[in-house]
Amino acid sequence: MTDENTYDVVVLGAGPVGENVADRARAAGLSTAVVESELVGGECSYWACMPSKALLRPVIARADARRLPGLREAVQGPLDAPAVLARRDEYTSHWKDDGQVSWLEAIGADLYRGQGRLAGPRRVTVTGPDGTEHVLTARHAVAVCTGTRAALPDLPGLADVEPWTSREATSARKVPGRLVVVGGGVVAAEMATAWQALGSQVTMLVRGSGLLPRMEPFAGELVMQALVEAGADVRTGVSVKGVTREGGTVVTTLDDGSTLESDEILFATGRAPRMDDIGLESVGLEPGSWLPVDDSLRVEGSTWLYAVGDVNHRALLTHQGKYQARIAGAAIAARAQGVPLLETDRWGAHAATADHSAVPQVVFTDPEAGSAGLTLAEAEAAGHRVRAVDYDIASVAGAGLYGDGYRGRARMIVDLDREILLGVTFVGPGVGELVHSATVAVAGEVPIDRLWHVVPSYPTVSEVWLRLLETYRG
């Protein structure tokens, strides 16, 4: 059985990005259909942001408590792992999407469950779980918001091992006694932090020279130091050459011929676009490829196809994808309304400028690492004349009050020609809440002279802003 329906906008994928495209389209009065093959709410709600941070919050809270005399004595025991996992389950709504479905209904978007595929310009077919087929035609736009999946290395027999990816790492029902984590990025660092604290003996295998390679080098150094102090075995400059499961034991072979035994192995080795089976070939695009877009998130060479969120490979972060969705939704609405000239100049209403200049991120390890904008290496590679200004956060009064033995570092990247900030990085306990102030400074291109008048409250960790400015001024 096949039925056909026409909408102004059709959205493929009901994760946070697709939800926000639908919300902006509906707010502009455009009829909207949303297609989802799994759970409404997507990766972030069920297998990424929410469950991972629910796992990490007790870990970080205990670490903070242990920095305070009078409190550390009360929190020396192990975490209650079943209670932590149960709270994690609550934050994933026990992997049920009723609440998010209700939200879609409330904004007036129509939900189609099943596999959605492009079937030529402005046409999408949806094959439902029962085999029912729907054909959806978009008057104005189709937005591809299907996100990414974990990318696994090409190792013989890997599928037989049933390795963990980020999904299994955030939804596991019990704590493995021994866990090997392959990778050194955000997922690897966060999951190593969580499971080591929950009782696993974690071994990290990092191909590069350190952790968090896309941040300032000192970020990975401080996070690695803390992981080692927590009992994790962190090995850098190593590669996995083979992996097998013998009974209940995973045997990992390294490039030097040595082997490791563990109960589970997590591969946190990157992401790939979830676009192998969405019909890209029907519109002349390569299946499984990233989709390059302009700053209004419209696919290059198209007048109707948008790629929003991870699929365009601009900034693979939930909050950045939601930002792109707001920009794309505004652009789709403006074009549907016949606006003759969109605001696609830098920082315009229809330009995702922050993707290039002001991307914020927080890594929820202990210590936390957070940044906004460019690193020193990125700024120099882009041809800017810059100066890096560093400060030891532990020297700020608020850091000492936060906890004994506070370790942290801050860096701001100053554009010497324009006297504005191009990037800021913080590492230390509690610094995640400093990142938005950095994002405002970078995205707002606030002059250094004006930042001098932005007075931090005393005694808070945010006083590091004043110390950075004083260091710059000399």
Side-chain angles (χ1 to χ4, degrees):
M1 178 180 176
T2 301
D3 63 41
E4 299 194 19
N5 291 284
T6 299
Y7 293 88
D8 292 322
V9 180
V10 176
V11 179
L12 287 179
V17 177
E19 288 177 326
N20 275 266
V21 171
D23 183 51
R24 291 299 83 207
R26 289 297 302 130
L30 302 178
S31 60
T32 304
V34 180
V35 182
E36 177 54 57
S37 61
E38 293 188 297
L39 296 176
V40 175
E43 200 79 11
C44 176
S45 298
Y46 306 104
W47 300 287
C49 315
M50 297 307 291
S52 66
K53 278 52 186 182
L55 290 173
L56 285 159
R57 178 61 196 141
V59 176
I60 295 171
R62 182 180 67 168
D64 283 343
R66 286 179 171 178
R67 295 183 178 99
L68 295 171
L71 183 56
R72 66 167 60 104
E73 295 78 13
V75 291
Q76 286 305 311
L79 290 168
D80 183 342
V84 173
L85 297 181
R87 185 171 184 265
R88 181 271 319 270
D89 293 351
E90 292 177 7
Y91 271 87
T92 61
S93 300
H94 300 273
W95 291 274
K96 296 179 181 178
D97 63 2
D98 298 7
Q100 306 230 34
V101 171
S102 296
W103 178 84
L104 269 183
E105 292 173 347
I107 67 168
D110 290 346
L111 172 64
Y112 291 82
R113 289 193 183 271
Q115 178 62 47
R117 297 178 181 87
L118 292 166
R122 293 185 173 85
R123 285 174 65 84
V124 173
T125 62
V126 184
T127 304
D130 60 357
T132 300
E133 185 171 274
H134 305 274
V135 178
L136 310 178
T137 300
R139 295 186 186 92
H140 300 293
V142 174
V144 177
C145 310
T146 49
T148 56
R149 55 176 172 78
L152 289 171
D154 185 17
L155 291 174
L158 182 59
D160 297 331
V161 175
E162 298 182 340
W164 278 11
T165 67
S166 53
R167 284 198 170 194
E168 289 76 20
T170 56
S171 63
R173 311 307 306 172
K174 63 179 182 179
V175 179
R178 300 164 297 175
L179 175 65
V180 167
V181 177
V182 183
V186 175
V187 172
E190 288 188 346
M191 290 298 92
T193 298
W195 290 108
Q196 178 70 33
L198 286 167
S200 292
Q201 175 54 56
V202 170
T203 301
M204 294 190 75
L205 304 176
V206 185
R207 186 169 56 183
S209 59
L211 304 184
L212 307 179
R214 296 189 177 184
M215 301 187 84
E216 297 285 6
F218 62 82
E221 291 167 6
L222 285 169
V223 171
M224 183 189 299
Q225 180 182 353
L227 276 166
V228 171
E229 290 175 355
D233 179 5
V234 183
R235 307 183 190 185
T236 59
V238 298
S239 297
V240 174
K241 292 302 180 183
V243 60
T244 59
R245 189 180 286 273
E246 301 174 8
T249 300
V250 178
V251 180
T252 303
T253 302
L254 306 183
D255 51 359
D256 64 0
S258 63
T259 60
L260 284 172
E261 292 188 351
S262 63
D263 299 291
E264 300 292 350
I265 183 168
L266 162 62
F267 281 90
T269 48
R271 308 290 296 178
R274 294 185 61 194
M275 294 194 293
D276 298 294
D277 188 27
I278 67 163
L280 290 180
E281 66 280 1
S282 73
V283 293
L285 297 170
E286 182 181 349
S289 64
W290 305 101
L291 294 179
V293 296
D294 63 21
D295 274 354
S296 72
L297 290 311
R298 190 166 59 176
V299 174
E300 293 178 357
S302 176
T303 60
W304 58 273
L305 185 63
Y306 292 72
V308 193
D310 285 6
V311 294
N312 59 42
H313 207 236
R314 286 162 67 108
L316 278 65
L317 295 159
T318 295
H319 49 269
Q320 210 66 21
K322 291 164 71 173
Y323 160 72
Q324 291 178 12
R326 296 191 292 272
I327 299 296
I332 290 168
R335 288 178 174 132
Q337 293 160 2
V339 174
L341 188 64
L342 269 62
E343 298 176 35
T344 54
D345 55 319
R346 182 175 168 82
W347 302 115
H350 308 114
T353 309
D355 287 350
H356 311 298
S357 305
V359 173
Q361 180 173 21
V362 176
V363 184
F364 292 83
T365 46
D366 176 43
E368 291 176 345
S371 64
L374 306 181
T375 63
L376 174 61
E378 289 169 339
E380 290 177 337
H384 297 289
R385 192 171 68 91
V386 296
R387 175 185 165 191
V389 181
D390 292 346
Y391 197 81
D392 179 2
I393 301 179
S395 298
V396 175
L401 290 169
Y402 191 98
D404 292 354
Y406 191 105
R407 288 197 302 248
R409 186 172 171 185
R411 168 175 286 180
M412 68 180 189
I413 308 300
V414 181
D415 183 325
L416 296 174
D417 295 317
R418 294 190 291 163
E419 287 276 300
I420 62 172
L421 302 186
L422 297 179
V424 185
T425 298
F426 303 107
V427 184
V431 300
E433 296 301 332
L434 295 180
V435 171
H436 194 62
S437 59
T439 309
V440 171
V442 173
E445 299 181 345
V446 182
I448 293 286
D449 285 348
R450 179 58 59 87
L451 284 174
W452 188 248
H453 295 281
V454 180
V455 182
S457 299
Y458 181 87
T460 65
V461 179
S462 62
E463 195 181 11
V464 70
W465 275 107
L466 174 58
R467 303 303 172 216
L468 286 166
L469 294 168
E470 289 175 335
T471 302
Y472 176 68
R473 286 193 162 199

